[in-house]
Coordinates of all heavy atoms in Angstrom, one line a residue:
E342 N -16.9 16.4 -11.9 CA -18.3 16.8 -12.1 C -19.2 15.8 -11.5 O -19.3 14.7 -12.0 CB -18.6 17.0 -13.7 CG -17.8 17.9 -14.4 CD -17.9 19.4 -14.1 OE1 -19.0 19.7 -13.4 OE2 -17.1 20.2 -14.4
G343 N -19.9 16.2 -10.5 CA -20.8 15.3 -9.8 C -21.9 14.7 -10.7 O -22.4 15.5 -11.6
V344 N -22.3 13.5 -10.5 CA -23.4 12.9 -11.3 C -24.4 12.4 -10.2 O -24.1 12.3 -9.1 CB -22.9 11.7 -12.2 CG1 -22.0 12.3 -13.3 CG2 -22.3 10.6 -11.4
E345 N -25.6 12.1 -10.7 CA -26.7 11.7 -9.8 C -26.6 10.2 -9.4 O -26.9 9.9 -8.3 CB -28.1 11.8 -10.6 CG -28.5 13.2 -10.7 CD -28.9 13.9 -9.4 OE1 -29.4 13.2 -8.5 OE2 -28.6 15.1 -9.2
R346 N -26.1 9.4 -10.3 CA -26.1 8.0 -10.0 C -24.9 7.3 -10.8 O -24.5 7.7 -11.9 CB -27.4 7.4 -10.5 CG -27.9 6.2 -9.8 CD -29.3 5.7 -10.3 NE -29.4 4.3 -10.0 CZ -29.6 3.8 -8.8 NH1 -29.9 4.6 -7.7 NH2 -29.7 2.5 -8.6
L347 N -24.4 6.3 -10.2 CA -23.3 5.5 -10.8 C -23.8 4.1 -11.0 O -24.8 3.6 -10.5 CB -22.1 5.6 -9.9 CG -21.4 6.9 -9.7 CD1 -20.4 6.9 -8.6 CD2 -20.8 7.4 -11.0
R348 N -23.0 3.4 -11.9 CA -23.4 2.0 -12.2 C -22.2 1.1 -11.9 O -21.1 1.5 -11.8 CB -23.8 1.9 -13.7 CG -22.7 2.4 -14.6 CD -23.1 2.3 -16.1 NE -21.9 2.7 -16.9 CZ -21.7 4.0 -17.3 NH1 -22.7 4.9 -17.0 NH2 -20.7 4.4 -18.0
P349 N -22.5 -0.2 -11.8 CA -21.4 -1.2 -11.5 C -20.4 -1.2 -12.6 O -20.7 -0.8 -13.7 CB -22.1 -2.5 -11.4 CG -23.6 -2.2 -11.3 CD -23.8 -0.9 -11.9
V350 N -19.2 -1.7 -12.2 CA -18.0 -1.6 -13.2 C -17.3 -3.0 -13.2 O -17.4 -3.8 -12.3 CB -17.2 -0.5 -12.7 CG1 -16.6 -0.7 -11.4 CG2 -16.1 -0.1 -13.7
D351 N -16.6 -3.2 -14.3 CA -15.7 -4.3 -14.5 C -14.3 -3.8 -14.7 O -14.1 -3.0 -15.7 CB -16.2 -5.2 -15.7 CG -15.4 -6.4 -15.8 OD1 -14.2 -6.5 -15.6 OD2 -16.0 -7.4 -16.3
H352 N -13.3 -4.0 -13.8 CA -12.1 -3.3 -13.9 C -10.9 -4.1 -13.4 O -11.1 -4.9 -12.5 CB -12.2 -2.0 -12.9 CG -11.0 -1.2 -12.9 ND1 -10.8 -0.1 -13.7 CD2 -9.9 -1.3 -12.0 CE1 -9.7 0.5 -13.4 NE2 -9.1 -0.2 -12.4
A353 N -9.8 -4.0 -14.0 CA -8.6 -4.7 -13.6 C -7.7 -3.8 -12.8 O -7.4 -2.7 -13.2 CB -7.8 -5.3 -14.8
V354 N -7.2 -4.3 -11.6 CA -6.4 -3.5 -10.7 C -5.0 -3.3 -11.3 O -4.4 -4.2 -11.9 CB -6.3 -4.2 -9.4 CG1 -5.5 -3.4 -8.4 CG2 -7.7 -4.5 -8.8
V355 N -4.5 -2.1 -11.1 CA -3.1 -1.7 -11.5 C -2.1 -2.6 -10.8 O -2.3 -3.1 -9.7 CB -2.9 -0.3 -11.2 CG1 -2.7 0.0 -9.7 CG2 -1.7 0.4 -12.0
P356 N -1.0 -3.0 -11.5 CA 0.0 -3.9 -10.9 C 0.7 -3.2 -9.6 O 0.8 -2.0 -9.6 CB 1.1 -4.0 -12.0 CG 0.5 -3.6 -13.3 CD -0.6 -2.7 -12.9
D357 N 1.2 -4.0 -8.7 CA 1.6 -3.6 -7.5 C 3.1 -3.1 -7.6 O 4.0 -4.0 -7.7 CB 1.5 -4.6 -6.4 CG 1.7 -4.1 -5.0 OD1 2.6 -3.2 -4.8 OD2 0.9 -4.5 -4.1
R358 N 3.4 -1.9 -7.6 CA 4.7 -1.4 -7.8 C 5.6 -1.7 -6.6 O 6.8 -1.8 -6.7 CB 4.8 0.1 -8.1 CG 4.2 1.0 -7.1 CD 3.7 2.4 -7.6 NE 2.9 3.0 -6.6 CZ 3.3 4.0 -5.8 NH1 4.5 4.5 -5.9 NH2 2.4 4.5 -4.9
I359 N 5.0 -1.8 -5.4 CA 5.8 -2.1 -4.2 C 6.2 -3.6 -4.2 O 7.3 -3.9 -3.8 CB 5.0 -1.8 -2.9 CG1 4.3 -0.5 -3.0 CG2 6.0 -1.9 -1.7 CD1 5.1 0.8 -3.1
E360 N 5.3 -4.4 -4.7 CA 5.7 -5.9 -4.8 C 6.8 -6.0 -5.9 O 7.8 -6.7 -5.6 CB 4.5 -6.7 -5.2 CG 4.9 -8.2 -5.2 CD 3.9 -9.2 -5.8 OE1 2.8 -8.7 -6.3 OE2 4.1 -10.3 -5.7
A361 N 6.7 -5.3 -6.9 CA 7.7 -5.3 -8.0 C 9.0 -4.9 -7.4 O 10.1 -5.5 -7.6 CB 7.3 -4.5 -9.2
A362 N 9.0 -3.8 -6.6 CA 10.3 -3.3 -6.0 C 10.9 -4.4 -5.1 O 12.1 -4.4 -4.9 CB 10.0 -2.0 -5.2
T363 N 10.1 -5.1 -4.5 CA 10.6 -6.2 -3.6 C 11.4 -7.2 -4.3 O 12.5 -7.6 -3.8 CB 9.4 -6.9 -2.9 OG1 8.5 -5.9 -2.3 CG2 9.9 -7.9 -1.8
Y364 N 11.0 -7.6 -5.6 CA 11.8 -8.5 -6.3 C 13.1 -7.8 -6.8 O 14.1 -8.5 -7.0 CB 11.0 -9.2 -7.4 CG 9.8 -9.8 -6.9 CD1 8.5 -9.5 -7.4 CD2 9.8 -10.7 -5.8 CE1 7.3 -10.0 -6.8 CE2 8.7 -11.3 -5.3 CZ 7.5 -11.0 -5.8 OH 6.4 -11.5 -5.2
L365 N 13.0 -6.5 -7.2 CA 14.1 -5.8 -7.6 C 15.2 -5.8 -6.5 O 16.4 -6.0 -6.7 CB 13.8 -4.4 -8.0 CG 12.9 -4.2 -9.2 CD1 12.7 -2.8 -9.6 CD2 13.4 -5.0 -10.5
A366 N 14.7 -5.5 -5.3 CA 15.6 -5.5 -4.1 C 16.2 -6.9 -3.9 O 17.4 -7.0 -3.5 CB 14.8 -5.0 -2.9
A367 N 15.4 -8.0 -4.1 CA 15.9 -9.3 -3.9 C 17.1 -9.6 -4.8 O 18.1 -10.2 -4.3 CB 14.8 -10.3 -4.1
V368 N 16.9 -9.2 -6.0 CA 18.1 -9.5 -7.0 C 19.2 -8.6 -6.7 O 20.4 -9.0 -6.8 CB 17.6 -9.4 -8.5 CG1 17.4 -8.0 -9.0 CG2 18.5 -10.2 -9.4
G369 N 19.0 -7.4 -6.2 CA 20.0 -6.5 -5.7 C 20.8 -7.2 -4.5 O 22.0 -7.0 -4.5
M370 N 20.1 -7.8 -3.7 CA 20.8 -8.4 -2.5 C 21.5 -9.7 -2.9 O 22.6 -9.9 -2.4 CB 19.7 -8.9 -1.5 CG 19.0 -7.9 -0.6 SD 20.0 -6.6 0.1 CE 20.4 -7.3 1.7
A371 N 20.8 -10.5 -3.7 CA 21.4 -11.9 -3.9 C 22.2 -12.0 -5.3 O 22.8 -13.0 -5.5 CB 20.2 -12.9 -3.9
G372 N 22.1 -11.0 -6.1 CA 22.7 -11.1 -7.4 C 21.9 -11.8 -8.4 O 20.9 -12.4 -8.0
G373 N 22.2 -11.8 -9.7 CA 21.5 -12.6 -10.7 C 20.8 -11.7 -11.7 O 21.1 -10.5 -11.7
A374 N 19.9 -12.3 -12.4 CA 19.1 -11.6 -13.5 C 17.8 -12.2 -13.5 O 17.6 -13.4 -13.6 CB 19.9 -11.8 -14.8
I375 N 16.7 -11.3 -13.3 CA 15.3 -11.8 -13.3 C 14.5 -10.9 -14.1 O 14.8 -9.8 -14.6 CB 14.8 -11.8 -11.8 CG1 14.7 -10.4 -11.3 CG2 15.6 -12.7 -10.9 CD1 13.9 -10.2 -10.0
R376 N 13.3 -11.5 -14.4 CA 12.2 -10.7 -15.1 C 11.0 -10.6 -14.1 O 10.7 -11.6 -13.5 CB 11.8 -11.4 -16.4 CG 10.7 -10.6 -17.1 CD 10.3 -11.2 -18.4 NE 9.0 -10.7 -18.7 CZ 8.7 -9.5 -19.3 NH1 9.7 -8.7 -19.7 NH2 7.5 -9.1 -19.6
V377 N 10.5 -9.4 -14.0 CA 9.3 -9.2 -13.2 C 8.2 -8.9 -14.0 O 8.0 -7.7 -14.6 CB 9.6 -8.0 -12.1 CG1 8.4 -7.9 -11.2 CG2 10.9 -8.2 -11.4
D378 N 7.3 -9.8 -14.3 CA 6.2 -9.7 -15.3 C 5.1 -8.8 -14.7 O 4.8 -8.9 -13.6 CB 5.6 -11.1 -15.5 CG 6.0 -11.8 -16.8 OD1 6.7 -11.1 -17.6 OD2 5.7 -12.9 -17.0
G379 N 4.6 -8.0 -15.6 CA 3.5 -7.1 -15.2 C 3.9 -5.8 -14.6 O 3.1 -4.9 -14.5
A380 N 5.2 -5.7 -14.1 CA 5.6 -4.4 -13.4 C 5.6 -3.3 -14.4 O 6.0 -3.5 -15.6 CB 6.9 -4.6 -12.8
R381 N 5.2 -2.1 -14.0 CA 5.2 -1.0 -14.9 C 6.3 0.0 -14.6 O 6.3 0.7 -13.6 CB 3.8 -0.3 -14.9 CG 2.8 -1.2 -15.4 CD 1.5 -0.5 -15.8 NE 1.6 0.8 -16.3 CZ 0.6 1.6 -16.6 NH1 -0.6 1.1 -16.5 NH2 0.7 2.8 -17.0
A382 N 7.2 0.1 -15.5 CA 8.4 1.0 -15.4 C 8.0 2.4 -15.2 O 8.5 3.2 -14.4 CB 9.3 0.9 -16.6
D383 N 6.9 2.8 -15.9 CA 6.4 4.2 -15.8 C 5.8 4.6 -14.4 O 5.7 5.8 -14.1 CB 5.4 4.5 -16.9 CG 4.2 3.7 -16.9 OD1 4.3 2.5 -16.4 OD2 3.1 4.1 -17.3
H384 N 5.6 3.5 -13.6 CA 5.1 3.8 -12.2 C 6.2 3.9 -11.2 O 6.0 4.1 -10.0 CB 4.0 2.8 -11.8 CG 2.7 2.9 -12.5 ND1 1.7 2.0 -12.5 CD2 2.3 3.9 -13.4 CE1 0.7 2.4 -13.2 NE2 1.0 3.5 -13.8
M385 N 7.4 3.5 -11.7 CA 8.5 3.3 -10.7 C 9.8 4.1 -11.2 O 10.9 3.7 -10.8 CB 8.9 1.8 -10.6 CG 7.7 0.9 -10.4 SD 8.0 -0.8 -10.5 CE 9.1 -1.0 -9.1
E386 N 9.6 5.2 -11.9 CA 10.7 5.8 -12.6 C 11.8 6.2 -11.6 O 13.0 6.0 -11.8 CB 10.2 7.0 -13.4 CG 9.8 6.6 -14.8 CD 9.3 7.8 -15.5 OE1 8.9 8.9 -14.9 OE2 9.2 7.7 -16.8
M387 N 11.4 6.9 -10.6 CA 12.4 7.5 -9.6 C 13.2 6.3 -8.9 O 14.4 6.4 -8.7 CB 11.7 8.4 -8.6 CG 12.5 9.5 -8.2 SD 12.7 10.8 -9.4 CE 11.3 11.9 -8.9
L388 N 12.4 5.3 -8.6 CA 13.1 4.2 -7.9 C 14.1 3.5 -8.8 O 15.2 3.2 -8.4 CB 12.0 3.1 -7.4 CG 12.7 1.9 -6.8 CD1 13.2 2.2 -5.4 CD2 11.7 0.7 -6.7
I389 N 13.6 3.3 -10.1 CA 14.6 2.6 -11.0 C 15.8 3.4 -11.3 O 16.9 2.9 -11.4 CB 13.8 2.4 -12.4 CG1 12.7 1.3 -12.1 CG2 14.7 2.0 -13.5 CD1 11.8 1.1 -13.3
E390 N 15.7 4.8 -11.3 CA 16.8 5.7 -11.4 C 17.8 5.5 -10.2 O 19.0 5.4 -10.4 CB 16.4 7.1 -11.5 CG 17.3 8.0 -12.2 CD 16.7 9.4 -12.5 OE1 15.7 9.4 -13.2 OE2 17.3 10.3 -12.0
K391 N 17.2 5.4 -9.0 CA 18.1 5.3 -7.8 C 18.8 4.0 -7.8 O 19.9 3.9 -7.5 CB 17.2 5.3 -6.5 CG 16.9 6.8 -6.1 CD 18.2 7.4 -5.4 CE 18.0 8.9 -5.3 NZ 19.3 9.6 -5.1
L392 N 18.0 2.9 -8.2 CA 18.7 1.6 -8.2 C 19.7 1.6 -9.3 O 20.8 0.9 -9.1 CB 17.6 0.6 -8.5 CG 16.5 0.3 -7.4 CD1 15.4 -0.7 -7.9 CD2 17.1 -0.2 -6.1
G393 N 19.5 2.3 -10.4 CA 20.5 2.4 -11.4 C 21.8 3.0 -10.9 O 22.9 2.6 -11.1
D394 N 21.6 4.1 -10.1 CA 22.8 4.8 -9.5 C 23.5 3.8 -8.6 O 24.7 4.0 -8.4 CB 22.3 6.0 -8.6 CG 21.7 7.1 -9.5 OD1 21.9 7.0 -10.7 OD2 21.0 8.0 -8.9
M395 N 22.8 2.8 -8.0 CA 23.4 1.9 -7.1 C 24.2 0.7 -7.9 O 24.9 -0.1 -7.3 CB 22.4 1.2 -6.2 CG 21.8 2.3 -5.2 SD 20.7 1.4 -4.0 CE 21.8 0.7 -2.8
G396 N 23.8 0.7 -9.2 CA 24.5 -0.3 -10.0 C 23.6 -1.4 -10.4 O 24.0 -2.4 -11.0
L397 N 22.3 -1.4 -10.0 CA 21.4 -2.5 -10.4 C 20.7 -2.0 -11.7 O 20.1 -1.0 -11.8 CB 20.3 -2.6 -9.3 CG 19.2 -3.6 -9.6 CD1 19.8 -5.0 -9.4 CD2 18.1 -3.5 -8.6
R398 N 20.9 -2.8 -12.7 CA 20.4 -2.4 -14.0 C 18.9 -2.9 -14.2 O 18.6 -4.1 -14.0 CB 21.2 -3.1 -15.1 CG 20.9 -2.6 -16.4 CD 21.9 -2.9 -17.5 NE 21.2 -2.8 -18.7 CZ 21.6 -3.3 -19.9 NH1 22.8 -3.9 -19.9 NH2 20.8 -3.2 -20.9
V399 N 18.0 -2.0 -14.5 CA 16.6 -2.4 -14.6 C 16.1 -1.8 -16.0 O 16.3 -0.6 -16.3 CB 15.7 -1.7 -13.5 CG1 14.3 -2.1 -13.7 CG2 16.2 -2.1 -12.1
D400 N 15.7 -2.7 -16.8 CA 15.2 -2.3 -18.2 C 13.7 -2.5 -18.3 O 13.2 -3.5 -17.8 CB 15.9 -3.1 -19.2 CG 17.4 -2.8 -19.3 OD1 17.8 -1.6 -19.3 OD2 18.3 -3.8 -19.2
D401 N 13.1 -1.6 -19.0 CA 11.7 -1.8 -19.3 C 11.5 -2.8 -20.4 O 12.0 -2.7 -21.5 CB 11.2 -0.4 -19.8 CG 9.6 -0.4 -20.0 OD1 9.0 -1.5 -19.9 OD2 9.1 0.7 -20.3
G402 N 10.9 -3.9 -20.0 CA 10.7 -5.0 -21.0 C 9.3 -5.1 -21.5 O 8.7 -6.2 -21.7
G403 N 8.7 -3.9 -21.8 CA 7.3 -4.0 -22.3 C 6.4 -4.2 -21.1 O 6.4 -3.4 -20.2
D404 N 5.7 -5.4 -21.1 CA 4.9 -5.7 -20.0 C 5.7 -6.3 -18.8 O 5.4 -7.5 -18.5 CB 3.8 -6.7 -20.5 CG 2.8 -7.0 -19.4 OD1 2.6 -6.1 -18.5 OD2 2.1 -8.0 -19.4
G405 N 6.7 -5.6 -18.4 CA 7.5 -6.1 -17.2 C 8.8 -5.5 -17.2 O 9.1 -4.6 -18.0
L406 N 9.6 -5.9 -16.2 CA 11.0 -5.3 -16.1 C 12.0 -6.4 -16.2 O 11.7 -7.6 -15.7 CB 11.1 -4.7 -14.7 CG 10.1 -3.5 -14.4 CD1 10.3 -3.1 -13.0 CD2 10.4 -2.3 -15.3
W407 N 13.2 -6.1 -16.7 CA 14.3 -7.0 -16.5 C 15.2 -6.4 -15.5 O 15.5 -5.2 -15.6 CB 15.1 -7.2 -17.9 CG 14.3 -7.8 -19.0 CD1 13.7 -7.2 -20.0 CD2 14.1 -9.2 -19.1 NE1 13.0 -8.1 -20.8 CE2 13.3 -9.4 -20.3 CE3 14.5 -10.3 -18.4 CZ2 12.9 -10.6 -20.8 CZ3 14.1 -11.6 -18.9 CH2 13.3 -11.7 -20.1
A408 N 15.8 -7.2 -14.6 CA 16.7 -6.6 -13.6 C 17.9 -7.5 -13.5 O 17.9 -8.7 -13.4 CB 16.0 -6.5 -12.3
T409 N 19.1 -6.8 -13.5 CA 20.4 -7.5 -13.5 C 21.3 -6.9 -12.4 O 21.5 -5.6 -12.5 CB 21.1 -7.4 -14.9 OG1 20.2 -7.8 -15.9 CG2 22.3 -8.4 -14.9
A410 N 21.8 -7.7 -11.5 CA 22.7 -7.2 -10.5 C 24.1 -7.7 -10.9 O 24.4 -8.9 -10.8 CB 22.3 -7.6 -9.1
P411 N 25.0 -6.8 -11.3 CA 26.3 -7.3 -11.7 C 27.2 -7.7 -10.6 O 28.1 -8.6 -10.8 CB 26.9 -6.0 -12.4 CG 26.1 -4.8 -11.8 CD 24.8 -5.4 -11.3
G412 N 27.0 -7.1 -9.4 CA 28.0 -7.4 -8.3 C 27.5 -6.6 -7.1 O 26.4 -6.2 -7.0
R413 N 28.5 -6.3 -6.3 CA 28.1 -5.5 -5.1 C 27.6 -4.1 -5.5 O 28.2 -3.5 -6.3 CB 29.3 -5.4 -4.2 CG 28.9 -4.8 -2.8 CD 30.1 -4.8 -1.9 NE 29.7 -4.2 -0.5 CZ 30.5 -3.8 0.4 NH1 31.8 -4.0 0.2 NH2 30.0 -3.4 1.5
L414 N 26.5 -3.7 -4.9 CA 26.0 -2.3 -5.3 C 26.7 -1.2 -4.5 O 27.4 -1.5 -3.6 CB 24.5 -2.3 -4.9 CG 23.6 -3.4 -5.6 CD1 22.1 -3.1 -5.2 CD2 23.8 -3.4 -7.1
T415 N 26.5 0.0 -5.0 CA 27.2 1.2 -4.4 C 26.2 2.0 -3.6 O 25.0 2.1 -4.1 CB 27.7 2.0 -5.6 OG1 28.4 1.2 -6.5 CG2 28.6 3.2 -5.1
A416 N 26.6 2.5 -2.5 CA 25.7 3.3 -1.7 C 25.3 4.6 -2.3 O 26.0 5.2 -3.1 CB 26.3 3.5 -0.3
V417 N 24.0 5.0 -2.1 CA 23.5 6.3 -2.5 C 22.7 7.0 -1.4 O 22.3 6.2 -0.5 CB 22.6 6.2 -3.8 CG1 23.4 5.8 -5.0 CG2 21.4 5.4 -3.5
D418 N 22.4 8.3 -1.5 CA 21.5 8.9 -0.6 C 20.1 8.9 -1.2 O 20.0 9.1 -2.4 CB 21.9 10.4 -0.3 CG 23.3 10.4 0.4 OD1 23.7 9.4 1.1 OD2 23.9 11.5 0.3

Side-chain angles (χ1 to χ4, degrees):
E342 300 291 343
V344 297
E345 285 294 322
R346 209 177 154 78
L347 296 167
R348 55 179 181 268
V350 64
D351 185 327
H352 179 94
V354 181
V355 73
D357 196 320
R358 61 200 165 102
I359 317 293
E360 186 190 5
T363 308
Y364 304 124
L365 299 183
V368 77
M370 285 314 269
I375 62 165
R376 181 176 157 85
V377 186
D378 257 351
R381 291 200 34 185
D383 58 330
H384 289 172
M385 309 173 68
E386 274 178 340
M387 212 72 98
L388 177 75
I389 290 173
E390 202 171 302
K391 274 289 163 195
L392 293 175
D394 292 346
M395 294 183 78
L397 180 72
R398 188 164 158 195
V399 181
D400 293 311
D401 186 353
D404 185 26
L406 300 173
W407 296 101
T409 313
R413 191 175 181 195
L414 301 184
T415 310
V417 293
D418 295 339

